[in-house]
Amino acid sequence: RIVDQPRERVIVDQWGRERVVTGPTEVDYVVGDRIPATVQLSTFPERTVREVPAMGGYRYMTVNNRVLVIDPVSNTVVREIDR
């Protein structure tokens, strides 16, 4: 569940814990773009990694109501997840 707030998102994971995930909302990232090192990336929930093990090596961020998969080594957008 995602709750909209100005310039940030509150993610409530499957255990009911909340995490704030921020991203620069004035930028429209696409696959192949590099994300600034200052942007906080989140790890995928354990349940997601169990269902899709390949996601364990990636991080994600939510920006402009979009979920972007990020390669944490290069800080590059590798995929957008459809909701």
Side-chain angles (χ1 to χ4, degrees):
R1 177 179 74 155
I2 299 177
V3 180
D4 286 331
Q5 293 182 352
R7 297 185 54 87
E8 63 184 31
R9 303 269 182 244
V10 177
I11 305 292
V12 180
D13 66 19
Q14 65 266 31
W15 300 284
R17 297 180 303 212
E18 291 185 359
R19 288 191 320 273
V20 175
V21 180
T22 60
T25 58
E26 63 276 357
V27 178
D28 189 24
Y29 294 110
V30 296
V31 172
D33 285 349
R34 293 201 61 190
I35 304 299
T38 56
V39 174
Q40 178 186 355
L41 302 176
S42 297
T43 58
F44 283 95
E46 190 176 310
R47 176 178 163 192
T48 300
V49 175
R50 271 196 317 269
E51 292 175 9
V52 185
M55 299 308 282
Y58 295 97
R59 303 294 178 262
Y60 74 93
M61 64 183 279
T62 303
V63 62
N64 296 331
N65 203 30
R66 298 164 53 218
V67 178
L68 303 176
V69 179
I70 312 297
D71 176 343
V73 174
S74 64
N75 273 6
T76 302
V77 179
V78 295
R79 182 174 184 162
E80 180 175 348
I81 297 177
D82 295 328
R83 292 184 183 214

